[in-house]
Amino acid sequence: MDAGHGTLGSRSSEAVATLAPGYFALVMASGIISVGLELEGFHAFSAILLAVCVVAYGVLVALNAVRLAAFRRPLRADFMHPGRAFGFYTFVAGTNVLGVRLAMTGAHWATAVLLAVAGLAWFVLGYVIPWTAVLGRDERPVVKDANGTWFIWCVASQSVAVACATLEPLAGSWKAGLALLAVVAWSVGIILYAAVGIFVSLRLMMYRIRPEDLGPAYFVAMGAMAITVLAGARIVEMADAPMVAVTRGLVAGASVVFWAFASWLFPVLIAAGCWRHLVKKVPLSYEPGLWGVIFPLGMYAVAGIYLGRADRLPVVELIGRTELWVAVGAFAVTMGGMLFHLWTTLVLPRPGRERAHP
């Protein structure tokens, strides 16, 4: 049905049926910027972003539940598509980012529950998505569909590490287990980043790069590196446990290297965006993938703040604190674009539109 001419109910149904798998990046973005604002002492602004994060998480869980019940065919198609399936990992990362932010309010029980949910989803999706979207496909080569969303797999792994490190100081007899899981998830995330980097690089080198190919999803490469830095900084701060004691020096040194690489990626990604929008004239308008830009901006800021404090690197901390406000400004603009998009596609009739993609 034409989403522009149908009723509000039909337009809403169409929107749920075509809901982007990676929309939990909205939760990731609002949650991590809220963490950064809380670290900097802007408690009121942080609380507003936390409210946005909680509401977005609840709404998206409900919408995906409806999609699972009523729109299984498009949901299954997303799981089978290598260009979209990795977006489902945003549920894992968004759940953990929300849990980490709630821990700052003292709600550690909520963090534990959300970590259990995210950990289970991480384990299941870690085997399901690579098979349904990549290994189990008859079509070859699959690498032609590799894109920046594949890095969300790495982000999900590192989010488990961050949540474990957040809970570890209060875990009592569970400390050793959480320390082990944190280091394992951090290590897995690094290996996955290397593997995904190879696949995406092959895609860029073997196939012609079109302007529409260099979408916002490629910023996730920087976000994945930044959350690796944050996870490493949190692991370094953990109480002594056998796994942490053995790896603390390695993790601390590697985190500095990863921060340097994430910083190096910034100009590369900005240049790609300028080429796409200024040179090739691709219109810049709201799309769900833009939250995949806001999250890396916020994560880079928080990672710099944590790393600077954990390793006593004031320059790194200053860069993170400064860049946080870039993330805040980008978040505000993107949120305005999303609200306007939802208003014009769902509430107002829009003749000529065939599909609604909130």
Side-chain angles (χ1 to χ4, degrees):
M1 178 180 292
D2 190 319
H5 294 289
T7 64
L8 176 60
S10 64
R11 293 195 298 271
S12 299
S13 296
E14 178 73 3
V16 174
T18 58
L19 186 68
Y23 229 123
F24 275 94
L26 166 58
V27 178
M28 297 159 59
S30 55
I32 199 61
I33 295 177
S34 178
V35 169
L37 291 171
E38 186 69 17
L39 289 173
E40 290 298 287
F42 296 95
H43 306 300
F45 288 156
S46 177
I48 293 173
L49 268 293
L50 173 58
V52 172
C53 184
V54 171
V55 171
Y57 186 79
V59 169
L60 287 170
V61 167
L63 291 178
N64 277 278
V66 172
R67 195 174 187 226
L68 176 62
F71 303 103
R72 294 182 182 178
R73 181 172 295 179
L75 182 66
R76 183 177 182 275
D78 284 340
F79 266 103
M80 300 296 291
H81 195 287
R84 298 192 300 268
F86 288 86
F88 286 106
Y89 284 114
T90 60
F91 170 73
V92 177
T95 300
N96 280 323
V97 169
L98 175 58
V100 169
R101 177 59 185 89
L102 290 175
M104 300 176 77
T105 69
H108 296 97
W109 62 270
T111 307
V113 171
L114 291 172
L115 174 59
V117 172
L120 178 61
W122 173 60
F123 181 81
V124 173
L125 293 178
Y127 293 98
V128 171
I129 289 178
W131 178 257
T132 60
V134 182
L135 300 177
R137 290 173 60 87
D138 293 329
E139 182 183 352
R140 290 291 188 274
V142 180
V143 72
K144 68 182 177 60
D145 292 314
N147 58 39
T149 64
W150 288 31
F151 287 103
I152 302 175
W153 193 6
C154 320
V155 174
S157 298
Q158 299 296 358
S159 74
V160 172
V162 173
C164 287
T166 300
L167 282 176
E168 187 265 351
L170 304 172
S173 60
W174 290 81
K175 281 188 176 183
L178 285 173
L180 174 62
L181 181 56
V183 174
V184 168
W186 183 80
S187 304
V188 169
I190 292 173
I191 301 301
L192 290 177
Y193 190 95
V196 170
I198 292 172
F199 296 141
V200 173
S201 296
L202 286 174
R203 159 69 179 88
L204 295 176
M205 289 187 292
M206 293 175 62
Y207 298 90
R208 185 173 65 90
I209 302 175
R210 301 170 301 175
E212 55 269 26
D213 293 331
L214 289 180
Y218 281 92
F219 259 85
V220 181
M222 191 266 286
M225 199 83 281
I227 195 174
T228 302
V229 174
L230 175 61
R234 297 304 302 267
I235 289 172
V236 169
E237 293 179 331
M238 291 169 67
D240 281 333
M243 183 62 75
V244 176
V246 170
T247 59
R248 178 174 279 115
L250 171 64
V251 173
S255 296
V256 176
V257 173
F258 295 147
W259 178 85
F261 183 68
S263 301
W264 179 83
L265 281 174
F266 242 123
V268 176
L269 294 168
I270 292 173
C274 290
W275 177 79
R276 182 175 190 248
H277 296 293
L278 299 181
V279 177
K280 296 300 181 179
K281 308 298 182 183
V282 175
L284 179 60
S285 58
Y286 175 78
E287 57 179 290
L290 285 175
W291 294 115
V293 175
I294 309 306
F295 168 74
L297 293 177
M299 180 54 70
Y300 179 82
V302 173
I305 293 171
Y306 262 109
L307 180 65
R309 294 177 181 178
D311 288 358
R312 297 180 178 87
L313 300 170
V315 174
V316 174
E317 181 181 357
L318 177 61
I319 292 173
R321 296 175 65 183
T322 303
E323 202 271 335
L324 175 64
W325 295 105
V326 176
V328 170
F331 178 90
V333 172
T334 306
M335 176 60 72
M338 185 187 75
L339 294 177
F340 179 77
H341 176 77
L342 293 176
W343 175 261
T344 56
T345 56
L346 293 182
V347 180
L348 295 180
R350 298 281 291 182
R353 286 186 177 270
E354 296 182 356
R355 298 178 72 84
H357 296 277

